[in-house]
Amino acid sequence: MNAAEARKLSEQNSSKLIESCFKKSVNNIDDLIKATSKIGEFSVRSNLTFSSNIRDAIINRLVVHYQDLGYHVEVNSLPLSKSISISWGEKEDPTSCN
């Protein structure tokens, strides 16, 4: 297989990678939400370090997913990744350690 063939195959299968990364991210974030809500926190933050060709597709899906569930979602750009913050308090919690 030459590079052009490999590139074409990767592009054809990128949706599978996006779906897999999305599901793993949801599981990780859901675990964070459960753990932090048990200790009285009202938000979580997760750094997302996917490759640039799929990062925006995954983040967009995460934003929609958590907004549809009633969460407030913010995305911040970092030099080599993006950070997603998800909160469920009615307003910013002044006692938060984050």
Side-chain angles (χ1 to χ4, degrees), residues 1-9:
M1 173 183 300
N2 64 36
E5 292 168 332
R7 187 172 19 265
K8 182 178 178 182
L9 188 59

Side-chain angles (χ1 to χ4, degrees), residues 31-91:
D31 288 347
L32 284 172
I33 290 170
K34 288 175 190 173
T36 58
S37 62
K38 285 181 181 180
I39 61 170
E41 291 284 344
F42 288 89
S43 66
V44 295
R45 183 175 300 127
S46 181
N47 288 332
L48 307 171
T49 55
F50 307 113
S51 59
S52 60
N53 62 319
I54 62 169
R55 182 179 352 182
D56 289 341
I58 297 167
I59 291 172
N60 290 341
R61 287 190 61 189
L62 289 170
V63 168
V64 169
H65 175 78
Y66 285 102
Q67 285 178 337
D68 286 350
L69 293 174
Y71 292 98
H72 174 73
V73 182
E74 291 181 20
V75 176
N76 297 300
S77 293
L78 303 170
L80 299 175
S81 65
K82 289 194 177 185
S83 170
I84 187 167
S85 298
I86 300 169
S87 60
W88 52 93
E90 291 195 27
K91 53 184 165 182

Side-chain angles (χ1 to χ4, degrees), residues 9 17 21 79:
L9 188 59
L17 178 60
C21 291

Side-chain angles (χ1 to χ4, degrees), residues 18-30 50:
I18 290 168
E19 183 65 22
S20 173
C21 291
F22 169 74
K23 287 180 179 180
K24 287 178 185 176
S25 295
V26 167
N27 288 336
N28 291 339
I29 291 169
D30 285 352
F50 307 113

